[in-house]
PDB file of all heavy atoms in Angstrom:
ATOM      1  N   ILE A   7      -2.537   7.828   3.413  1.00 83.00           N
ATOM      2  CA  ILE A   7      -2.976   9.155   3.834  1.00 83.00           C
ATOM      3  C   ILE A   7      -4.470   9.319   3.617  1.00 83.00           C
ATOM      4  O   ILE A   7      -5.178   9.887   4.460  1.00 83.00           O
ATOM      5  CB  ILE A   7      -2.192  10.253   3.083  1.00 83.00           C
ATOM      6  CG1 ILE A   7      -0.717  10.200   3.478  1.00 83.00           C
ATOM      7  CG2 ILE A   7      -2.765  11.639   3.393  1.00 83.00           C
ATOM      8  CD1 ILE A   7      -0.460  10.359   4.971  1.00 83.00           C
ATOM      9  N   ALA A  12      -9.729   9.850   6.193  1.00 92.00           N
ATOM     10  CA  ALA A  12     -11.101   9.363   6.346  1.00 92.00           C
ATOM     11  C   ALA A  12     -11.363   8.849   7.755  1.00 92.00           C
ATOM     12  O   ALA A  12     -12.423   9.114   8.340  1.00 92.00           O
ATOM     13  CB  ALA A  12     -11.384   8.269   5.318  1.00 92.00           C
ATOM     14  N   LEU A  37      -9.793  21.849  14.058  1.00 90.00           N
ATOM     15  CA  LEU A  37      -8.618  22.178  13.248  1.00 90.00           C
ATOM     16  C   LEU A  37      -7.458  22.622  14.138  1.00 90.00           C
ATOM     17  O   LEU A  37      -6.294  22.322  13.857  1.00 90.00           O
ATOM     18  CB  LEU A  37      -8.962  23.274  12.236  1.00 90.00           C
ATOM     19  CG  LEU A  37      -9.949  22.877  11.133  1.00 90.00           C
ATOM     20  CD1 LEU A  37     -10.325  24.099  10.293  1.00 90.00           C
ATOM     21  CD2 LEU A  37      -9.389  21.782  10.240  1.00 90.00           C
ATOM     22  N   GLY A  38      -7.778  23.315  15.230  1.00 91.00           N
ATOM     23  CA  GLY A  38      -6.744  23.729  16.166  1.00 91.00           C
ATOM     24  C   GLY A  38      -6.053  22.543  16.825  1.00 91.00           C
ATOM     25  O   GLY A  38      -4.837  22.558  17.040  1.00 91.00           O
ATOM     26  N   SER A  47       4.430  16.780  17.390  1.00 86.00           N
ATOM     27  CA  SER A  47       5.243  15.797  16.672  1.00 86.00           C
ATOM     28  C   SER A  47       6.545  16.423  16.194  1.00 86.00           C
ATOM     29  O   SER A  47       7.624  15.848  16.338  1.00 86.00           O
ATOM     30  CB  SER A  47       4.456  15.231  15.481  1.00 86.00           C
ATOM     31  OG  SER A  47       5.225  14.294  14.774  1.00 86.00           O
ATOM     32  N   GLU A  53      13.520  18.129  19.261  1.00 92.00           N
ATOM     33  CA  GLU A  53      14.087  17.925  20.591  1.00 92.00           C
ATOM     34  C   GLU A  53      15.074  16.764  20.576  1.00 92.00           C
ATOM     35  O   GLU A  53      16.161  16.853  21.181  1.00 92.00           O
ATOM     36  CB  GLU A  53      12.970  17.650  21.595  1.00 92.00           C
ATOM     37  CG  GLU A  53      13.476  17.437  23.018  1.00 92.00           C
ATOM     38  CD  GLU A  53      12.367  17.044  23.972  1.00 92.00           C
ATOM     39  OE1 GLU A  53      11.585  16.125  23.637  1.00 92.00           O
ATOM     40  OE2 GLU A  53      12.282  17.648  25.060  1.00 92.00           O
ATOM     41  N   PRO A  61      25.220  18.807  26.032  1.00 78.00           N
ATOM     42  CA  PRO A  61      26.190  18.653  27.120  1.00 78.00           C
ATOM     43  C   PRO A  61      25.496  18.198  28.406  1.00 78.00           C
ATOM     44  O   PRO A  61      24.292  18.400  28.589  1.00 78.00           O
ATOM     45  CB  PRO A  61      26.766  20.061  27.280  1.00 78.00           C
ATOM     46  CG  PRO A  61      25.690  20.966  26.759  1.00 78.00           C
ATOM     47  CD  PRO A  61      25.062  20.212  25.624  1.00 78.00           C
ATOM     48  N   ASN A 106      -3.373  28.727  34.893  1.00 97.00           N
ATOM     49  CA  ASN A 106      -3.107  29.178  33.528  1.00 97.00           C
ATOM     50  C   ASN A 106      -1.932  30.152  33.531  1.00 97.00           C
ATOM     51  O   ASN A 106      -1.318  30.407  34.575  1.00 97.00           O
ATOM     52  CB  ASN A 106      -4.356  29.788  32.890  1.00 97.00           C
ATOM     53  CG  ASN A 106      -4.811  31.067  33.587  1.00 97.00           C
ATOM     54  OD1 ASN A 106      -4.070  31.689  34.354  1.00 97.00           O
ATOM     55  ND2 ASN A 106      -6.045  31.464  33.316  1.00 97.00           N
ATOM     56  N   VAL A 126       1.170  28.657  22.860  1.00 95.00           N
ATOM     57  CA  VAL A 126       1.745  28.443  21.535  1.00 95.00           C
ATOM     58  C   VAL A 126       1.825  29.768  20.784  1.00 95.00           C
ATOM     59  O   VAL A 126       2.834  30.068  20.135  1.00 95.00           O
ATOM     60  CB  VAL A 126       0.910  27.427  20.728  1.00 95.00           C
ATOM     61  CG1 VAL A 126       1.425  27.332  19.294  1.00 95.00           C
ATOM     62  CG2 VAL A 126       0.971  26.050  21.380  1.00 95.00           C
ATOM     63  N   SER A 145     -17.705  19.742  26.420  1.00 95.00           N
ATOM     64  CA  SER A 145     -17.650  19.059  27.713  1.00 95.00           C
ATOM     65  C   SER A 145     -16.261  18.450  27.859  1.00 95.00           C
ATOM     66  O   SER A 145     -15.579  18.199  26.859  1.00 95.00           O
ATOM     67  CB  SER A 145     -18.706  17.949  27.783  1.00 95.00           C
ATOM     68  OG  SER A 145     -18.384  16.900  26.876  1.00 95.00           O
ATOM     69  N   GLU A 147     -15.565  15.500  28.659  1.00 95.00           N
ATOM     70  CA  GLU A 147     -15.581  14.161  28.085  1.00 95.00           C
ATOM     71  C   GLU A 147     -15.392  14.199  26.573  1.00 95.00           C
ATOM     72  O   GLU A 147     -14.605  13.421  26.010  1.00 95.00           O
ATOM     73  CB  GLU A 147     -16.907  13.453  28.423  1.00 95.00           C
ATOM     74  CG  GLU A 147     -17.103  13.132  29.890  1.00 95.00           C
ATOM     75  CD  GLU A 147     -17.472  14.343  30.740  1.00 95.00           C
ATOM     76  OE1 GLU A 147     -17.903  15.381  30.157  1.00 95.00           O
ATOM     77  OE2 GLU A 147     -17.331  14.271  31.976  1.00 95.00           O
ATOM     78  N   LEU A 149     -14.057  16.681  24.749  1.00 96.00           N
ATOM     79  CA  LEU A 149     -12.736  17.206  24.419  1.00 96.00           C
ATOM     80  C   LEU A 149     -11.646  16.159  24.663  1.00 96.00           C
ATOM     81  O   LEU A 149     -10.712  16.024  23.862  1.00 96.00           O
ATOM     82  CB  LEU A 149     -12.464  18.469  25.233  1.00 96.00           C
ATOM     83  CG  LEU A 149     -11.215  19.275  24.881  1.00 96.00           C
ATOM     84  CD1 LEU A 149     -11.102  19.534  23.387  1.00 96.00           C
ATOM     85  CD2 LEU A 149     -11.204  20.589  25.662  1.00 96.00           C
ATOM     86  N   ALA A 150     -11.766  15.413  25.736  1.00 96.00           N
ATOM     87  CA  ALA A 150     -10.785  14.361  26.027  1.00 96.00           C
ATOM     88  C   ALA A 150     -10.795  13.303  24.924  1.00 96.00           C
ATOM     89  O   ALA A 150      -9.742  12.782  24.530  1.00 96.00           O
ATOM     90  CB  ALA A 150     -11.080  13.724  27.383  1.00 96.00           C
ATOM     91  N   ALA A 160       0.325   7.684  13.577  1.00 78.00           N
ATOM     92  CA  ALA A 160       0.552   7.891  12.151  1.00 78.00           C
ATOM     93  C   ALA A 160       0.911   9.345  11.852  1.00 78.00           C
ATOM     94  O   ALA A 160       1.628   9.633  10.888  1.00 78.00           O
ATOM     95  CB  ALA A 160      -0.685   7.482  11.351  1.00 78.00           C
ATOM     96  N   GLY A 165       5.028  14.346   6.938  1.00 63.00           N
ATOM     97  CA  GLY A 165       5.628  15.672   6.920  1.00 63.00           C
ATOM     98  C   GLY A 165       4.583  16.774   6.890  1.00 63.00           C
ATOM     99  O   GLY A 165       3.383  16.537   6.852  1.00 63.00           O
ATOM    100  N   ASN A 178     -12.340  21.294   4.053  1.00 85.00           N
ATOM    101  CA  ASN A 178     -13.314  21.115   2.975  1.00 85.00           C
ATOM    102  C   ASN A 178     -14.550  20.355   3.451  1.00 85.00           C
ATOM    103  O   ASN A 178     -15.675  20.674   3.060  1.00 85.00           O
ATOM    104  CB  ASN A 178     -12.664  20.390   1.793  1.00 85.00           C
ATOM    105  CG  ASN A 178     -11.642  21.243   1.076  1.00 85.00           C
ATOM    106  OD1 ASN A 178     -11.742  22.474   1.079  1.00 85.00           O
ATOM    107  ND2 ASN A 178     -10.647  20.620   0.466  1.00 85.00           N
ATOM    108  N   LYS A 179     -14.339  19.337   4.291  1.00 88.00           N
ATOM    109  CA  LYS A 179     -15.474  18.567   4.808  1.00 88.00           C
ATOM    110  C   LYS A 179     -16.366  19.445   5.685  1.00 88.00           C
ATOM    111  O   LYS A 179     -17.601  19.389   5.584  1.00 88.00           O
ATOM    112  CB  LYS A 179     -14.974  17.363   5.604  1.00 88.00           C
ATOM    113  CG  LYS A 179     -14.211  16.331   4.795  1.00 88.00           C
ATOM    114  CD  LYS A 179     -15.113  15.501   3.905  1.00 88.00           C
ATOM    115  CE  LYS A 179     -15.787  14.397   4.658  1.00 88.00           C
ATOM    116  NZ  LYS A 179     -16.543  13.480   3.772  1.00 88.00           N
ATOM    117  N   LYS A 182     -18.474  21.895   3.547  1.00 82.00           N
ATOM    118  CA  LYS A 182     -19.653  21.249   2.945  1.00 82.00           C
ATOM    119  C   LYS A 182     -20.759  21.071   3.975  1.00 82.00           C
ATOM    120  O   LYS A 182     -21.931  21.320   3.698  1.00 82.00           O
ATOM    121  CB  LYS A 182     -19.258  19.900   2.350  1.00 82.00           C
ATOM    122  CG  LYS A 182     -18.376  19.998   1.116  1.00 82.00           C
ATOM    123  CD  LYS A 182     -17.960  18.611   0.619  1.00 82.00           C
ATOM    124  CE  LYS A 182     -17.025  18.728  -0.580  1.00 82.00           C
ATOM    125  NZ  LYS A 182     -16.554  17.397  -1.046  1.00 82.00           N
ATOM    126  N   PHE A 192     -15.882  30.744   6.147  1.00 53.00           N
ATOM    127  CA  PHE A 192     -14.801  31.136   5.248  1.00 53.00           C
ATOM    128  C   PHE A 192     -13.484  31.086   5.986  1.00 53.00           C
ATOM    129  O   PHE A 192     -13.294  31.765   6.985  1.00 53.00           O
ATOM    130  CB  PHE A 192     -15.019  32.544   4.701  1.00 53.00           C
ATOM    131  CG  PHE A 192     -13.856  33.041   3.886  1.00 53.00           C
ATOM    132  CD1 PHE A 192     -13.610  32.518   2.625  1.00 53.00           C
ATOM    133  CD2 PHE A 192     -12.996  33.999   4.383  1.00 53.00           C
ATOM    134  CE1 PHE A 192     -12.528  32.956   1.867  1.00 53.00           C
ATOM    135  CE2 PHE A 192     -11.916  34.439   3.638  1.00 53.00           C
ATOM    136  CZ  PHE A 192     -11.685  33.917   2.376  1.00 53.00           C
ATOM    137  N   THR A 193     -12.598  30.265   5.503  1.00 57.00           N
ATOM    138  CA  THR A 193     -11.234  30.222   6.011  1.00 57.00           C
ATOM    139  C   THR A 193     -10.317  30.122   4.799  1.00 57.00           C
ATOM    140  O   THR A 193     -10.389  29.155   4.053  1.00 57.00           O
ATOM    141  CB  THR A 193     -10.984  29.008   6.925  1.00 57.00           C
ATOM    142  OG1 THR A 193     -11.878  29.072   8.037  1.00 57.00           O
ATOM    143  CG2 THR A 193      -9.564  29.015   7.446  1.00 57.00           C
ATOM    144  N   SER A 196      -4.820  30.075   2.389  1.00 55.00           N
ATOM    145  CA  SER A 196      -3.505  30.584   2.788  1.00 55.00           C
ATOM    146  C   SER A 196      -3.225  30.296   4.254  1.00 55.00           C
ATOM    147  O   SER A 196      -2.078  30.204   4.673  1.00 55.00           O
ATOM    148  CB  SER A 196      -3.423  32.097   2.538  1.00 55.00           C
ATOM    149  OG  SER A 196      -4.432  32.780   3.263  1.00 55.00           O
ATOM    150  N   GLN A 209      12.537  29.741   6.017  1.00 46.00           N
ATOM    151  CA  GLN A 209      13.307  30.946   6.314  1.00 46.00           C
ATOM    152  C   GLN A 209      12.581  31.744   7.393  1.00 46.00           C
ATOM    153  O   GLN A 209      11.448  31.449   7.746  1.00 46.00           O
ATOM    154  CB  GLN A 209      13.460  31.815   5.058  1.00 46.00           C
ATOM    155  CG  GLN A 209      12.133  32.265   4.467  1.00 46.00           C
ATOM    156  CD  GLN A 209      12.319  33.049   3.195  1.00 46.00           C
ATOM    157  OE1 GLN A 209      13.433  33.250   2.723  1.00 46.00           O
ATOM    158  NE2 GLN A 209      11.230  33.518   2.624  1.00 46.00           N
ATOM    159  N   LEU A 212      10.862  32.405  14.097  1.00 42.00           N
ATOM    160  CA  LEU A 212       9.591  32.042  14.687  1.00 42.00           C
ATOM    161  C   LEU A 212       9.321  32.786  15.983  1.00 42.00           C
ATOM    162  O   LEU A 212       8.206  33.102  16.314  1.00 42.00           O
ATOM    163  CB  LEU A 212       9.563  30.537  14.979  1.00 42.00           C
ATOM    164  CG  LEU A 212       9.332  29.623  13.786  1.00 42.00           C
ATOM    165  CD1 LEU A 212       9.429  28.174  14.249  1.00 42.00           C
ATOM    166  CD2 LEU A 212       7.995  29.888  13.140  1.00 42.00           C
TER     167      LEU A 212
END
Side-chain angles (χ1 to χ4, degrees):
I7 295 302
L37 293 174
S47 180
E53 181 185 49
N106 65 16
V126 173
S145 68
E147 293 76 17
L149 189 49
N178 290 332
K179 295 286 279 187
K182 290 177 183 177
F192 174 72
T193 300
S196 59
Q209 59 183 1
L212 283 176

